[in-house]
Amino acid sequence: MQTINQMKMEFSSVPENEGFARVAVSAFAVQLNPTLDVLADIKTAVSEAVTNAIVHGYGDRPGLVTVTAILGADGVLDIAVIDQGRGIADIAQAMQPFFTTQPEKERSGMGFSVMQTFMDEVTVESVPGQGTTVRMKKRLGSA
Ligand SMILES: Nc1ncnc2c1ncn2[C@@H]1O[C@H](COP(=O)(O)OP(=O)(O)O)[C@@H](O)[C@H]1O
Ligand SMILES: [Mg+2]
């Protein structure tokens, strides 16, 4: 697929950057005039993925989160949220609704379910000890 536009950003693994990432991706997506509903879906999904990179990937350790977005000629926005944190041993289990490794922090275990609900496609690649890449696609309209 031909790329119409792309961006890449990298930021510290601190909670303050969750809001920064969702607004930045939304600002990038707006060029194809998506509906407010579609923009809200993207913001929500990016928030979940970036929060996961910060709280699960890195935990209390310092690190960098990378977010990329590629806009294809087909009008599909392809977003990746990448960390070099602890990784996920069992991806299928992690993606199950209500599964969380942090029940004591009252996490819902619904982050991946939210991403799958609000985006058209979600794929996860992860290597324990090396990090995680969450790729999400959303059709924005005709390019
Ligand atoms: N980037 C990540 N790095 C390491 N583990 C992750 C990452 N994202 C998700 N996980 C694991 O997958 C589980 C489920 O994630 P999620 O559905 O967002 O629920 P929650 O964040 O509420 O625990 C997490 O509890 C965690 O164990
Ligand atoms: Mg989560």
Side-chain angles (χ1 to χ4, degrees):
M1 181 51 55
Q2 190 198 337
T3 295
I4 293 197
N5 195 0
Q6 58 183 304
M7 71 87 164
K8 178 176 182 177
M9 60 186 195
E10 195 167 59
F11 48 84
S12 301
S13 173
V14 294
E16 290 76 10
N17 282 335
E18 180 255 310
F20 165 68
R22 60 187 266 146
V23 169
V25 174
S26 170
F28 181 80
V30 87
Q31 60 195 286
L32 268 196
N33 296 318
T35 65
L36 288 180
D37 283 349
V38 167
L39 271 187
D41 290 353
I42 292 169
K43 281 184 180 170
T44 302
V46 167
S47 289
E48 292 293 338
V50 169
T51 299
N52 279 354
I54 293 169
V55 304
H56 299 301
Y58 292 113
D60 293 330
R61 291 168 299 150
L64 292 172
V65 180
T66 305
V67 176
T68 64
I70 297 173
L71 187 52
D74 55 359
V76 173
L77 184 66
D78 187 339
I79 300 166
V81 176
I82 303 157
D83 69 67
Q84 273 87 46
R86 74 167 54 94
I88 303 172
D90 186 338
I91 294 171
Q93 180 188 49
M95 292 181 80
Q96 274 170 19
F98 304 113
F99 178 85
T100 180
T101 47
Q102 292 194 341
E104 73 285 359
K105 295 193 178 159
E106 296 188 0
R107 300 215 171 270
S108 67
M110 292 301 287
F112 280 123
S113 300
V114 166
M115 290 178 234
Q116 286 171 319
T117 300
F118 288 105
M119 301 295 275
D120 296 325
E121 196 181 312
V122 178
T123 54
V124 180
E125 286 170 35
S126 189
V127 179
Q130 290 185 28
T132 301
T133 296
V134 176
R135 178 160 278 116
M136 306 183 281
K137 294 186 181 182
K138 183 79 169 178
R139 173 164 294 281
L140 294 186
S142 50

